């Protein structure tokens, strides 16, 4: 039996055992994991060094190496995040609906764990801890399949988790790491319907597209963010500038950063120069439509491809539009259904935009950067869903649960 | 451009127009559809005759022909179902969560339509009306892909729908029928990610398995029901008999019928003969394990395959087990996560069973036949989900919705 099949089977068995584990027992296990990470810190950092050395040898970029890199501060942050997770309400067991039937049947719809969750992810070893602890809190078992570039770090982290679980009520098999990081094990996971209830890919567009295309296991798509801000003719200049600069420059590498600015033509005639100068001052490279690029020498001409592009860098596309309708159509064509903002003093146009733009989160007069589990007050986030089924937008603990109907009778038949 | 692409594109455009349509306008359109079906009754029945004649020529079984068959009563039932649907609460616009942030941001999570729903289904023309009206009520557009065996009926029904929509506020393109019923159009729909937000297959196991395996569009799996009843040692005989007979014989062709009976050995020794005699009296064919088949001459020996089989007929498998644990393990191995029942006087064993059995609906002392949208009080049902994501169990109108975060600010940035 292959590693994936063996561990899949063990995880399924563990997930059935998890049904009997109480909130207190889960929280106790989480506390032990936090402790163990600190105890094992030295070993984890040694193993992380091996990944970094291999990465340098393989010519990984500094930004990728930074994502792989662990240090004392980052391990402390992991432990802190686990302590915050312990304080969050356990969603399992919550009654979502109670139905009393005339025939005396009592029907209760309760929240239950999903079962076994498969995580396929890239680089960042902190996803290993996030995924293992969020799934544990929600009574699930998890199969982790990280990338080869972080394999030593991931193995060390899961070793610490296992040490902690051994002295807890949670079965050790509830957290499984696939050590073989070849493409074959990912492919096996795509089709492990017998043991996996859901697959969550975290990483770049290529990884996510591959999982969505190939997997027969249901997928929770955590997606790309080609986010737009539309500046309406009635927009206050200061507000527009501050939202654009925040959305584009505060953290350009994240999915809720702004990638395209759509500007109403009258506003552009009046304020375009000021906004573009400010963007230039912040080191933002501009890809403009024919109007923008012909008027401003610092702007390159945007290609069709640019409107689709999530730069994840200090670059932005700018298009001048005639109306809120044109802005809505542009976003619904080129966007990725993540986060979209309108800046306007008009309630009417704001409502039209918010209702007609198809995205997980739509903003009136605020930065798209707020689309985030902790900003929304969820305390923990497994990713941001850009699909419409099951969960949309920032996914907290509830997104890792399913429901089940409990029906209590006294012999009722139909 | 292919038929599927053209209609997919038109449905997407219509789904954006649906955002502006009020509950009253949707209900008015539904009323007009109900009226038009009655006006067009004669033509619909003529077209249905063509399907029935072709079906007879192609040697379809009487039970399949019955599923295709329409008559005045069945068309009246369709119209009545639409009138009941009009009275149901419109879920669109409902606020699921309101978050007030310290920085003044107001975040509202509202229910919104899914967008465009693809339905791939077999035989029954009433699915055409169900799917079109449920998706319309929830503000979605729909692409219908029925089977060739009901193509004349489906085209006639959709013609009536279009006539009704033409004199309503709902765009005609919100309901699209794919007229080419070749395998190619189904395959195109599997991958129509640009225009389809979800695919719902309704039909036999083969159809559903194919869609789940091949589709890259997210699927809502409405599934097979290999349902079990476990009779514990403390079960009252009369209750057990009545639930077994009801679950097996009241309507054997449906997914919530009982397919396997698990019996605790002491109960079997005392009551096995009576139960099996009663099953025989009801014309039920029995596939028993080695104990059952060696004691009772009327029982055939069950093969491994039998434990996996959804007979959908007057057949049942029977196994004698030592404990509730053995029953739970059997169900979690062979079941399809649909509906599972325990009959017992022991609260402890009931709770163990209900918690540990992995199914959409679990029953204590009641028939599995209650797993049904109208029995649960949902008024309308698009299918019964056996998957864990998005919706589990009977799916009412809410299952055809997604959610969206509306964020209202006054210039907030991070």
């Amino acid at each position: 039996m292959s590693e994936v099949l063996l561990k899949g089977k063990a995880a399924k068995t563990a997930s059935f055992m998890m049904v009997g584990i109480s909130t207190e027992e889960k929280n106790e296990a989480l506390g032990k994991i936090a402790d163990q990470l600190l105890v094992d810190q030295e070993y984890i950092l040694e193993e992380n060094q091996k990944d970094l050395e291999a990465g340098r040898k393989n010519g990984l970029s500094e930004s990728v190496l930074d994502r792989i890199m662990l240090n004392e501060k980052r391990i402390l942050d992991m432990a802190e995040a686990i302590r915050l997770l312990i304080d969050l309400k356990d969603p399992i067991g919550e009654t979502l609906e109670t139905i009393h039937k005339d025939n005396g049947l009592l029907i209760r719809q309760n929240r239950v764990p999903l079962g076994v969750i498969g995580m396929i992810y890239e680089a960042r070893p902190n996803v290993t801890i996030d995924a293992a602890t969020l799934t544990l809190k929600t009574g699930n078992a998890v199969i982790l399949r990280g990338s080869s570039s972080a394999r030593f770090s991931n193995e060390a982290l899961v070793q610490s988790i296992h040490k902690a679980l051994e002295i807890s009520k949670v079965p050790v098999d509830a957290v499984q790491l696939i050590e073989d990081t070849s493409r074959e094990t990912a492919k096996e996971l795509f089709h492990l319907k017998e043991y996996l209830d859901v697959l969550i890919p975290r990483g770049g567009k290529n990884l996510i597209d591959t999982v969505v295309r190939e997997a027969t296991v249901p997928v929770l798509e955590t997606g790309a963010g080609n986010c737009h801000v539309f500046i309406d003719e009635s927009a206050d200049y200061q507000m527009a500038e501050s939202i654009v600069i925040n959305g584009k420059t505060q953290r350009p590498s994240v999915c809720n950063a702004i990638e395209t600015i759509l500007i109403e033509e009258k506003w552009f005639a009046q304020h375009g120069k000021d906004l573009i100068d400010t963007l230039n001052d912040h080191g933002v490279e501009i890809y403009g439509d024919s109007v923008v690029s012909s008027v401003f020498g610092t702007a390159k001409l945007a290609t069709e491809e640019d409107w689709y592009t999530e730069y994840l860098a200090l670059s932005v596309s700018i298009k001048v539009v005639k109306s809120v309708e044109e802005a809505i159509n542009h976003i619904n064509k080129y966007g990725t259904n993540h986060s979209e903002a309108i800046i306007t003093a008009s309630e009417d146009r704001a409502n039209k935009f918010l209702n007609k733009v198809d995205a997980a989160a739509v903003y009136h007069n605020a930065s798209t950067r707020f689309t985030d589990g902790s900003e929304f007050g969820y305390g923990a986030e497994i990713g941001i869903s850009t699909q419409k089924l099951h969960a949309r937008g920032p996914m907290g603990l509830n997104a890792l649960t399913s429901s089940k109907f409990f029906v209590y009778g006294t012999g009722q038949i139909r």
Side-chain angles (χ1 to χ4, degrees), chain A:
Chain A
M1 209 182 266
S2 72
E3 185 194 5
V4 167
L5 267 180
L6 268 173
K7 292 189 172 172
K9 200 173 175 176
K12 193 75 184 176
T13 304
S15 81
F16 285 122
M17 295 166 68
M18 291 293 282
V19 175
I21 311 275
S22 69
T23 301
E24 291 64 36
E25 289 166 340
K26 291 188 290 187
N27 285 339
E28 202 198 346
L30 287 170
K32 287 182 169 155
I33 293 174
D35 293 345
Q36 196 66 45
L37 288 175
L38 299 177
V39 169
D40 295 343
Q41 176 170 287
E42 204 176 322
Y43 178 68
I44 294 168
L45 293 181
E46 277 168 29
E47 295 299 296
N48 182 246
Q49 273 306 318
K50 295 187 192 166
D51 285 327
L52 292 173
E53 279 160 31
R56 274 186 215 102
K57 217 178 277 173
N58 293 328
L60 295 185
S61 71
E62 276 309 312
S63 75
V64 173
L65 289 172
D66 180 65
R67 275 185 253 161
I68 296 170
M69 191 263 286
L70 294 176
N71 54 30
E72 293 190 6
K73 167 79 169 63
R74 288 186 178 184
I75 291 178
L76 194 64
D77 286 348
M78 287 177 185
E80 282 306 307
I82 296 173
R83 305 220 183 272
L84 291 175
L85 180 61
I86 291 172
D87 292 336
L88 292 185
K89 190 178 162 294
D90 183 353
I92 300 304
E94 183 194 345
T95 298
L96 301 171
E97 196 181 5
T98 305
I99 305 166
H100 293 276
K101 297 280 296 171
D102 288 345
N103 62 5
L105 275 187
L106 167 65
I107 305 175
R108 265 207 211 104
Q109 187 187 27
N110 287 352
R111 258 190 217 286
V112 297
L114 283 169
V116 182
I117 295 171
M119 289 284 304
I120 301 188
Y121 53 102
E122 288 171 340
R124 302 178 194 264
N126 67 314
V127 176
T128 303
I129 297 296
D130 274 6
T133 54
L134 291 173
T135 52
L136 194 160
K137 175 87 186 187
T138 45
N140 294 289
V142 70
I143 299 182
L144 303 162
R145 163 63 171 71
S147 70
S148 55
S149 59
R151 58 175 289 223
F152 291 107
S153 314
N154 288 339
E155 285 180 23
L157 291 168
V158 171
Q159 236 173 70
S160 298
I161 294 173
H162 283 168
K163 277 193 228 167
L165 295 186
E166 266 160 26
I167 50 166
S168 84
K169 296 279 167 59
V170 171
V172 173
D173 286 349
V175 179
Q176 302 275 349
L177 178 73
I178 303 297
E179 294 179 2
D180 176 354
T181 53
S182 66
R183 287 185 72 87
E184 280 60 41
T185 58
K187 286 203 169 175
E188 252 186 291
L189 286 170
F190 293 168
H191 305 291
L192 200 66
K193 273 194 78 98
E194 199 179 345
Y195 300 125
L196 273 186
D197 293 288
V198 58
L199 256 182
I200 306 180
R202 292 245 332 231
K205 190 170 162 20
N206 271 347
L207 170 71
I208 290 166
D209 286 351
T210 306
V211 175
V212 168
R213 193 176 55 245
E214 295 197 14
T216 48
V217 174
V219 174
L220 271 184
E221 192 172 344
T222 67
N226 182 18
C227 305
H228 302 69
V229 58
F230 166 57
I231 305 175
D232 176 54
E233 67 171 288
S234 66
D236 174 75
Y237 178 76
Q238 284 310 327
M239 189 191 287
E241 181 189 284
S242 98
I243 288 175
V244 161
I245 297 302
N246 180 255
K248 183 66 259 178
T249 69
Q250 195 232 356
R251 211 172 153 202
S253 67
V254 293
C255 60
N256 56 20
I258 288 171
E259 306 293 359
T260 297
I261 310 167
L262 303 170
I263 308 179
E264 192 277 335
E265 57 186 2
K266 286 194 276 302
W267 196 96
F268 181 75
Q270 210 184 338
H271 304 293
K273 182 175 186 315
D274 291 342
L275 186 67
I276 283 174
D277 285 349
T278 309
L279 284 165
N280 284 335
D281 291 348
H282 281 80
V284 178
E285 187 182 34
I286 294 170
Y287 296 87
D289 66 0
S290 54
V291 177
V292 174
S293 62
S294 68
V295 180
F296 297 98
T298 53
K300 291 175 192 140
L301 182 64
T303 62
E304 174 73 3
E305 193 56 29
D306 279 307
W307 308 117
Y308 286 107
T309 300
E310 188 183 7
Y311 297 108
L312 297 170
L314 283 178
S315 303
V316 76
S317 344
I318 302 183
K319 185 181 169 66
V320 176
V321 297
K322 287 196 182 347
S323 63
V324 63
E325 284 80 12
E326 190 183 344
I328 293 167
N329 290 337
H330 179 98
I331 293 170
N332 285 340
K333 176 170 181 189
Y334 296 101
T336 55
N337 315 107
H338 193 295
S339 301
E340 309 293 352
I342 181 173
I343 306 169
T344 181
S346 156
E347 286 289 323
D348 268 9
R349 284 194 290 276
N351 285 332
K352 181 176 277 185
F353 182 94
L354 300 188
N355 284 313
K356 298 247 169 187
V357 161
D358 191 23
V362 286
Y363 291 81
H364 178 203
N365 291 345
S367 170
T368 56
R369 289 279 293 110
F370 288 107
T371 304
D372 177 274
S374 65
E375 288 294 328
F376 278 27
Y378 294 163
E381 178 189 288
I382 193 83
I384 294 174
S385 163
T386 53
Q387 67 179 32
K388 292 187 182 174
L389 288 183
H390 188 69
R392 195 179 194 196
M395 294 190 287
L397 294 178
N398 286 352
L400 297 178
T401 69
S402 181
S403 64
K404 184 174 175 177
F405 289 100
F406 292 76
V407 187
Y408 302 92
T410 50
Q412 283 84 347
I413 60 170
R414 262 181 97 173

PDB file of all heavy atoms in Angstrom, chain A residues 137-148:
ATOM      1  N   LYS A 137      -9.008  21.762  15.940  1.00  0.00           N
ATOM      2  CA  LYS A 137     -10.013  22.509  16.708  1.00  0.00           C
ATOM      3  C   LYS A 137     -11.430  22.162  16.238  1.00  0.00           C
ATOM      4  O   LYS A 137     -12.376  22.150  17.030  1.00  0.00           O
ATOM      5  CB  LYS A 137      -9.759  24.003  16.547  1.00  0.00           C
ATOM      6  CG  LYS A 137     -10.785  24.920  17.198  1.00  0.00           C
ATOM      7  CD  LYS A 137     -10.471  25.215  18.657  1.00  0.00           C
ATOM      8  CE  LYS A 137     -11.580  26.006  19.323  1.00  0.00           C
ATOM      9  NZ  LYS A 137     -11.218  26.449  20.679  1.00  0.00           N
ATOM     10  N   THR A 138     -11.591  21.894  14.938  1.00  0.00           N
ATOM     11  CA  THR A 138     -12.906  21.597  14.383  1.00  0.00           C
ATOM     12  C   THR A 138     -13.179  20.093  14.290  1.00  0.00           C
ATOM     13  O   THR A 138     -14.090  19.660  13.587  1.00  0.00           O
ATOM     14  CB  THR A 138     -13.057  22.238  12.982  1.00  0.00           C
ATOM     15  OG1 THR A 138     -11.851  21.987  12.240  1.00  0.00           O
ATOM     16  CG2 THR A 138     -13.272  23.733  13.076  1.00  0.00           C
ATOM     17  N   GLY A 139     -12.374  19.288  15.006  1.00  0.00           N
ATOM     18  CA  GLY A 139     -12.656  17.854  15.100  1.00  0.00           C
ATOM     19  C   GLY A 139     -12.361  17.050  13.842  1.00  0.00           C
ATOM     20  O   GLY A 139     -12.843  15.934  13.687  1.00  0.00           O
ATOM     21  N   ASN A 140     -11.606  17.629  12.927  1.00  0.00           N
ATOM     22  CA  ASN A 140     -11.247  16.918  11.704  1.00  0.00           C
ATOM     23  C   ASN A 140      -9.890  16.236  11.832  1.00  0.00           C
ATOM     24  O   ASN A 140      -9.088  16.593  12.690  1.00  0.00           O
ATOM     25  CB  ASN A 140     -11.168  17.912  10.535  1.00  0.00           C
ATOM     26  CG  ASN A 140     -12.505  18.526  10.187  1.00  0.00           C
ATOM     27  OD1 ASN A 140     -13.380  17.851   9.655  1.00  0.00           O
ATOM     28  ND2 ASN A 140     -12.674  19.807  10.508  1.00  0.00           N
ATOM     29  N   ALA A 141      -9.640  15.281  10.939  1.00  0.00           N
ATOM     30  CA  ALA A 141      -8.280  14.797  10.737  1.00  0.00           C
ATOM     31  C   ALA A 141      -7.743  15.503   9.492  1.00  0.00           C
ATOM     32  O   ALA A 141      -8.513  15.987   8.671  1.00  0.00           O
ATOM     33  CB  ALA A 141      -8.271  13.292  10.541  1.00  0.00           C
ATOM     34  N   VAL A 142      -6.416  15.571   9.362  1.00  0.00           N
ATOM     35  CA  VAL A 142      -5.836  16.295   8.233  1.00  0.00           C
ATOM     36  C   VAL A 142      -4.687  15.502   7.617  1.00  0.00           C
ATOM     37  O   VAL A 142      -3.949  14.813   8.329  1.00  0.00           O
ATOM     38  CB  VAL A 142      -5.365  17.712   8.662  1.00  0.00           C
ATOM     39  CG1 VAL A 142      -4.149  17.640   9.580  1.00  0.00           C
ATOM     40  CG2 VAL A 142      -5.063  18.599   7.458  1.00  0.00           C
ATOM     41  N   ILE A 143      -4.605  15.579   6.299  1.00  0.00           N
ATOM     42  CA  ILE A 143      -3.445  15.043   5.588  1.00  0.00           C
ATOM     43  C   ILE A 143      -2.732  16.222   4.956  1.00  0.00           C
ATOM     44  O   ILE A 143      -3.304  16.943   4.140  1.00  0.00           O
ATOM     45  CB  ILE A 143      -3.870  14.032   4.508  1.00  0.00           C
ATOM     46  CG1 ILE A 143      -4.586  12.861   5.173  1.00  0.00           C
ATOM     47  CG2 ILE A 143      -2.660  13.554   3.723  1.00  0.00           C
ATOM     48  CD1 ILE A 143      -5.008  11.795   4.205  1.00  0.00           C
ATOM     49  N   LEU A 144      -1.481  16.422   5.369  1.00  0.00           N
ATOM     50  CA  LEU A 144      -0.705  17.565   4.905  1.00  0.00           C
ATOM     51  C   LEU A 144       0.234  17.135   3.798  1.00  0.00           C
ATOM     52  O   LEU A 144       0.975  16.165   3.940  1.00  0.00           O
ATOM     53  CB  LEU A 144       0.116  18.137   6.067  1.00  0.00           C
ATOM     54  CG  LEU A 144      -0.694  18.563   7.300  1.00  0.00           C
ATOM     55  CD1 LEU A 144       0.225  18.690   8.519  1.00  0.00           C
ATOM     56  CD2 LEU A 144      -1.406  19.874   7.018  1.00  0.00           C
ATOM     57  N   ARG A 145       0.201  17.855   2.691  1.00  0.00           N
ATOM     58  CA  ARG A 145       1.138  17.585   1.606  1.00  0.00           C
ATOM     59  C   ARG A 145       1.786  18.918   1.237  1.00  0.00           C
ATOM     60  O   ARG A 145       1.245  19.697   0.459  1.00  0.00           O
ATOM     61  CB  ARG A 145       0.380  16.948   0.441  1.00  0.00           C
ATOM     62  CG  ARG A 145       1.053  16.944  -0.916  1.00  0.00           C
ATOM     63  CD  ARG A 145       2.352  16.155  -0.971  1.00  0.00           C
ATOM     64  NE  ARG A 145       2.795  16.052  -2.348  1.00  0.00           N
ATOM     65  CZ  ARG A 145       3.280  17.062  -3.072  1.00  0.00           C
ATOM     66  NH1 ARG A 145       3.410  18.261  -2.545  1.00  0.00           N
ATOM     67  NH2 ARG A 145       3.639  16.862  -4.314  1.00  0.00           N
ATOM     68  N   GLY A 146       2.922  19.205   1.911  1.00  0.00           N
ATOM     69  CA  GLY A 146       3.651  20.439   1.653  1.00  0.00           C
ATOM     70  C   GLY A 146       4.569  20.268   0.454  1.00  0.00           C
ATOM     71  O   GLY A 146       4.536  19.244  -0.237  1.00  0.00           O
ATOM     72  N   SER A 147       5.366  21.278   0.191  1.00  0.00           N
ATOM     73  CA  SER A 147       6.248  21.188  -0.972  1.00  0.00           C
ATOM     74  C   SER A 147       7.624  20.698  -0.557  1.00  0.00           C
ATOM     75  O   SER A 147       8.022  20.770   0.607  1.00  0.00           O
ATOM     76  CB  SER A 147       6.350  22.546  -1.660  1.00  0.00           C
ATOM     77  OG  SER A 147       7.073  23.424  -0.840  1.00  0.00           O
ATOM     78  N   SER A 148       8.359  20.190  -1.536  1.00  0.00           N
ATOM     79  CA  SER A 148       9.682  19.648  -1.249  1.00  0.00           C
ATOM     80  C   SER A 148      10.605  20.724  -0.693  1.00  0.00           C
ATOM     81  O   SER A 148      11.506  20.430   0.092  1.00  0.00           O
ATOM     82  CB  SER A 148      10.289  19.037  -2.516  1.00  0.00           C
ATOM     83  OG  SER A 148      10.297  20.013  -3.531  1.00  0.00           O
TER      84      SER A 148
END
